[in-house]
Amino acid sequence: MNTKEEQSLFKKGFSRREILKTAGIGSAGVILGATGFSGILTAFGETPFVDDNHETKNKVNFYGKHQSGILTKNPEHAYFVSLNCTAKSKVELKEMFQLWTRYSVQLMNGHLVEPDSANKLLPAPDTGEAVGLDASHLTLTFGVGPSLFEKSELGMEHMKPHELKDLPHFPKDQLDPRYVGGDICIQACADDPQVAFHAVRNLIRSARGLVTMRWSQTGFNSYGMKDKKKMTPRNLFAFKDGTGNPNVDDTKEMDEVVWVQPGESESWMSGGSYLAVRRIQMHLETWDRTALREQEATFGRHRDTGAPIGKSDEFSDMEIERKENGKSVVPENSHVFLARQVKDRMLRRSFSFSDGINSDTGSFDAGLLFISFQKNPQQFINIQNSFGRADKLNEYITHRGSALFACFPGVKKGSYLGAGLFD
Amino acid sequence: MNRFIKVTGLLMLSCGILAGCGEDVSHETAEKEESVQTKASSTEKEVSTYKQFAIEQLDEFVMATEGFVEAVKAGDVEKAKELYAPARMYFERSEPIAESFGDLDPRIDARLADIQAEGQGEEEWSGYHKLEYGLWEEGTTEGYEETADQLLKDVKELRAKVETVEVTPDLMITGAVDLLNEVSTSKITGEEEIYSHTDLYDFKANVEGAEKIFEIFKEKLTAKDADLVKKLDENFTVLDDLLAKYEDGKGGYVSYEKLTQEDTKALSSAVDNLGEPLSQMAIVVE
């Protein structure tokens, strides 16, 4: 195979769906010849450019002004992982993100991360469990945590934005060290849980020696359909979650709430966003024996419609100051009332989780993988502080995990994830 | 530890015994053998060096087992305990070859759990781990004389049979990765030496066995991918240094029970970091 052929093959990518169709030709499907992939890498230099493939079904674009998986609507399944960085230098870290850039495009194109080799004594370069599955609206979102900047061997102390620091202790926090912090995070979301998992697995495999896994959490959302549109999903307390979110189609609003603007932080964060993640245990057993009226008073919304208390439409204005007989219609210790006490807003992007059984109590280990994006962590902190001890929801939930990550801006074609930080 | 299943796989690859295989598997095996045969001439030197290494290890294994068996039969519990783990290291180092013999390997190295998993009763149990049970759990050698005699017989038989093993590059490459897989699945979890907790001896020996295969292929590998060799050199050093932290100062290793969760995590991740590039060693046959 000459270089030209290799190049065209490379550009085409290796669709996971097409492999099945061509599998009859050779036993390994698409084969590149005995030299395998290493030859191609040499021919192209270290980081060959791979573009978004617009012919891919169910595809979200990788390249753009912002990373995917932040404004992307209606995520169904998430695999979130927090990593420790064990790279010995900034150069190693930079090379890892360059590789992850190429792999991310391949994964979001629904392609193999690398084509198979003809040498069957080698393990397959792609772990393969997504073969036959399409891109499934896979999004990949990468961020870095405050602890990454404290590693002197990386020499990045001076690049740390002052707002990037561990989240403060909030009232009623009961954090479990097994779900706290991290140097790097990957949020993978897809319509198919196996596609999300496959993406994270291959990224981590490609970075053995540079990262170790610190903690991870999967999550899911299910959407009822109305007039062919997805409705607001319900959390495991059966309440609609995300009704009050800002409008992701409103560019101006997103610039105000989600995206770091030039001059607002370190320059490498312009166009990026801060990801706050909380692993919130929900005490389903106690919730299930709570009267419906109490449950509704806890959230400040009606359960079935999602409407503000005393109203019938989910998207009606909350009108938080409404009073009846001198008393607030929306209880003052309800979750929504307290959230509206602060002017700050954030973009919530949460998932339910169910992780088997709590071995100490025998109850469900289930809850909410809370993820929010905001241009400044203070927005999340102010809202969380407003809940404080007053929030009636505190009776039914316990915050077990917590971390904050600075998510890079989007990647320009030809560039790579975090270029502004590592160059 | 799915040792019995794996042994079957290795036999097919190395000896070409296809009886009892499903159709798909034998097709696959034939394919592999063919590809290996075409390259066999170019790796003749490596293959014979490795066979020589395995024979030397098993020579040592016979001698060390003789000493161990003597101590057991003399009723010297302390001496036997002292000799147990170091003797086993010769076996663990040469495991890709030692376990080619599907009947001998379990007779020498099966844990009670393996026997039970095979649907056999405790009376079928023999070998090192049975003596381990006597020494550490019961604190005696009494009643174990026959087991000791049989062990020595089996070990000598293994040594004799090793001459007949057809060593292939495939066996070496697969063997190196398998050695690390053994570490990941049973040694790092303390499930190999559940009475003596001498797992780190086996751990070290498995790593040395994999490193030996890497050393043998190093020259050829350097010509194909010098970066891979550098990476493997570095990762072996990291793992060796990490293991050195657990030396007991008397030429051995601390008990597995002394390891904290942080320790096992660090060791496990060093093995994974090494295993990924080690699996790329197969480019040597291209």
Side-chain angles (χ1 to χ4, degrees):
Chain A
M1 191 181 296
N2 64 36
T3 311
K4 227 180 202 168
E5 280 172 327
E6 280 180 356
Q7 189 160 5
S8 71
L9 244 181
F10 191 84
K11 277 210 172 134
K12 188 168 176 291
F14 299 86
S15 161
R16 299 190 301 238
R17 308 263 300 171
E18 273 167 26
I19 285 175
L20 288 186
K21 292 183 218 151
T22 54
I25 301 168
S27 53
V30 187
I31 287 179
L32 264 190
T35 44
F37 196 75
S38 49
I40 291 200
L41 274 189
T42 327
F44 280 83
E46 288 281 303
T47 50
F49 171 66
V50 186
D51 204 350
D52 282 312
N53 180 348
H54 300 292
E55 284 155 37
T56 295
K57 261 174 91 181
N58 298 326
K59 170 169 171 58
V60 178
N61 283 337
F62 172 82
Y63 293 106
K65 195 174 172 197
H66 307 294
Q67 286 198 71
S68 69
I70 301 175
L71 302 193
T72 315
K73 289 177 195 170
N74 303 327
E76 298 203 358
H77 293 274
Y79 194 100
F80 182 90
V81 63
S82 167
L83 306 168
N84 297 314
C85 173
T86 52
K88 292 183 285 295
S89 68
K90 195 167 92 172
V91 173
E92 281 190 356
L93 201 55
K94 170 180 164 169
E95 285 169 359
M96 179 184 83
F97 275 108
Q98 286 174 330
L99 182 68
W100 279 4
T101 300
R102 181 158 61 79
Y103 273 25
S104 296
V105 185
Q106 299 282 33
L107 289 161
M108 287 169 66
N109 279 342
H111 293 166
L112 299 176
V113 292
E114 306 267 8
D116 280 340
S117 156
N119 180 352
K120 284 191 141 192
L121 282 179
L122 285 168
D126 186 294
T127 59
E129 71 272 33
V131 167
L133 304 175
D134 66 27
S136 306
H137 294 115
L138 175 71
T139 63
L140 291 164
T141 318
F142 299 85
V144 290
S147 49
L148 187 73
F149 295 85
E150 283 149 28
K151 294 176 177 289
S152 55
E153 66 273 27
L154 302 178
M156 303 200 304
E157 294 95 331
H158 62 291
M159 302 288 275
K160 181 178 170 179
H162 66 87
E163 65 274 18
L164 178 60
K165 47 191 175 212
D166 288 334
L167 292 170
H169 176 83
F170 296 107
K172 306 284 277 182
D173 267 5
Q174 293 278 336
L175 298 186
D176 179 337
R178 290 177 304 166
Y179 299 104
V180 171
D183 300 328
I184 295 169
C185 78
I186 307 173
Q187 177 202 236
C189 303
D191 300 342
D192 184 314
Q194 190 147 324
V195 168
F197 178 78
H198 168 261
V200 169
R201 177 180 178 188
N202 280 273
L203 290 169
I204 289 175
R205 181 189 180 199
S206 74
R208 289 255 182 257
L210 302 173
V211 296
T212 60
M213 289 187 281
R214 185 181 176 99
W215 62 276
S216 80
Q217 184 61 56
T218 57
F220 55 87
N221 276 317
S222 287
Y223 298 87
M225 300 294 284
K226 195 180 177 188
D227 303 331
K228 290 188 177 168
K229 276 180 68 183
K230 284 182 173 175
M231 297 195 293
T232 314
R234 294 181 189 277
N235 60 32
L236 295 182
F237 283 165
F239 278 73
K240 295 193 170 197
D241 202 322
T243 303
N245 253 344
N247 180 4
V248 296
D249 292 323
D250 184 335
T251 312
K252 189 165 160 274
E253 199 175 4
M254 289 301 101
D255 283 347
E256 282 166 13
V257 176
V258 176
W259 305 123
V260 177
Q261 301 299 306
E264 289 181 343
S265 181
E266 293 285 336
S267 61
W268 64 267
M269 268 302 280
S270 293
S273 189
Y274 285 94
L275 180 160
V277 55
R278 309 278 285 177
R279 185 186 193 269
I280 304 171
Q281 182 186 356
M282 289 162 62
H283 303 286
L284 302 187
E285 286 80 359
T286 54
W287 181 258
D288 290 347
R289 55 182 181 250
T290 301
L292 183 57
R293 198 178 61 186
E294 280 297 294
Q295 293 185 348
E296 294 188 330
T298 300
F299 275 100
R301 289 185 181 275
H302 291 298
R303 190 181 82 157
D304 285 355
T305 57
I309 288 194
K311 300 198 175 196
S312 56
D313 182 67
E314 179 187 351
F315 297 100
S316 295
D317 197 321
M318 184 58 67
E319 292 178 312
I320 207 84
E321 65 291 340
R322 282 179 292 143
K323 300 237 195 270
E324 215 169 73
N325 306 327
K327 271 179 72 184
S328 286
V329 176
V330 181
E332 290 176 11
N333 60 355
S334 69
H335 198 62
V336 74
F337 188 95
L338 293 164
R340 296 296 170 96
Q341 291 308 294
V342 282
K343 63 178 190 336
D344 295 283
R345 303 189 72 197
M346 60 189 179
L347 179 64
R348 300 169 46 114
R349 216 168 175 277
S350 297
F351 302 85
S352 296
F353 71 82
S354 93
D355 267 6
I357 301 156
N358 181 320
S359 56
D360 294 332
T361 60
S363 53
F364 284 111
D365 184 5
L368 191 75
L369 171 63
F370 170 96
I371 292 175
S372 71
F373 290 95
Q374 47 275 309
K375 63 158 68 177
N376 192 312
Q378 200 59 44
Q379 295 160 261
F380 169 79
I381 294 169
N382 290 347
I383 294 169
Q384 192 58 33
N385 273 329
S386 172
F387 294 137
R389 295 187 174 280
D391 188 1
K392 200 167 157 49
L393 192 56
N394 284 341
E395 281 180 46
Y396 308 100
I397 62 171
T398 307
H399 286 242
R400 299 288 186 197
S402 176
L404 180 72
F405 297 95
C407 295
F408 309 126
V411 181
K412 280 199 210 87
K413 289 185 182 184
S415 186
Y416 66 96
L417 288 157
L421 177 59
F422 302 116
D423 269 344
Chain B
M1 185 176 63
N2 288 322
R3 177 166 296 163
F4 297 124
I5 295 164
K6 207 173 56 197
V7 164
T8 323
L10 269 174
L11 266 180
M12 290 190 309
L13 298 178
S14 54
C15 310
I17 298 169
L18 296 176
C21 296
E23 210 175 308
D24 287 352
V25 181
S26 37
H27 172 71
E28 179 108 338
T29 310
E31 205 172 89
K32 276 189 181 174
E33 280 184 344
E34 193 185 4
S35 75
V36 165
Q37 262 171 19
T38 55
K39 305 283 177 184
S41 54
S42 58
T43 47
E44 229 167 77
K45 192 179 86 188
E46 286 78 8
V47 160
S48 79
T49 308
Y50 186 59
K51 190 163 182 179
Q52 197 48 46
F53 165 76
I55 288 173
E56 282 163 20
Q57 288 297 309
L58 292 179
D59 278 340
E60 296 277 356
F61 186 45
V62 171
M63 285 192 279
T65 303
E66 268 169 357
F68 172 67
V69 163
E70 241 169 64
V72 170
K73 292 185 74 180
D76 191 341
V77 173
E78 283 318 303
K79 179 94 182 154
K81 276 176 154 182
E82 208 175 281
L83 295 177
Y84 171 82
R88 290 180 44 75
M89 287 179 85
Y90 298 109
F91 180 78
E92 294 285 342
R93 238 177 248 126
S94 52
E95 208 159 350
I97 288 202
E99 69 181 8
S100 300
F101 305 97
D103 52 339
L104 271 175
D105 177 56
R107 258 152 58 194
I108 293 168
D109 193 35
R111 305 164 313 152
L112 183 57
D114 301 324
I115 297 288
Q116 287 163 341
E118 289 289 290
Q120 294 172 328
E122 204 177 329
E123 67 283 357
E124 301 288 334
W125 193 23
S126 65
Y128 263 102
H129 291 301
K130 186 170 182 174
L131 296 168
E132 179 200 5
Y133 178 82
L135 291 169
W136 273 273
E137 282 296 292
E138 297 183 334
T140 183
T141 59
E142 245 169 83
Y144 286 92
E145 294 79 4
E146 227 172 279
T147 307
D149 280 336
Q150 187 59 45
L151 172 65
L152 187 57
K153 250 190 239 165
D154 290 338
V155 167
K156 282 181 172 163
E157 191 184 334
L158 173 67
R159 167 62 191 87
K161 277 191 172 166
V162 107
E163 307 277 352
T164 66
V165 176
E166 188 202 341
V167 178
T168 61
D170 188 348
L171 180 143
M172 292 170 66
I173 290 160
T174 313
V177 175
D178 278 350
L179 280 164
L180 283 197
N181 292 351
E182 281 272 326
V183 172
S184 293
T185 51
S186 65
K187 272 74 172 193
I188 198 64
T189 55
E191 289 167 307
E192 175 78 16
E193 307 283 0
I194 54 172
Y195 314 115
S196 65
H197 305 298
T198 53
D199 301 84
L200 286 182
Y201 288 78
D202 307 73
F203 191 137
K204 176 69 178 173
N206 283 161
V207 173
E208 284 175 341
E211 194 163 9
K212 181 70 192 179
I213 295 171
F214 165 57
E215 291 296 336
I216 291 172
F217 280 134
K218 203 170 190 174
E219 192 188 322
K220 278 218 162 62
L221 217 46
T222 307
K224 286 188 188 278
D225 189 345
D227 283 347
L228 179 63
V229 172
K230 189 168 161 261
K231 189 161 198 181
L232 283 169
D233 266 328
E234 280 170 14
N235 287 351
F236 269 116
T237 306
V238 169
L239 183 55
D240 288 339
D241 289 351
L242 201 55
L243 269 172
K245 279 171 58 182
Y246 304 103
E247 283 170 7
D248 63 1
K250 294 174 280 184
Y253 287 89
V254 301
S255 160
Y256 179 83
E257 291 186 307
K258 289 253 164 73
L259 301 185
T260 64
Q261 201 184 31
E262 284 306 303
D263 292 334
T264 51
K265 244 179 161 174
L267 284 164
S268 177
S269 124
V271 172
D272 287 342
N273 293 345
L274 171 61
E276 194 62 42
L278 194 70
S279 69
Q280 298 300 309
M281 201 160 66
I283 60 165
V284 79
V285 301
E286 285 176 4

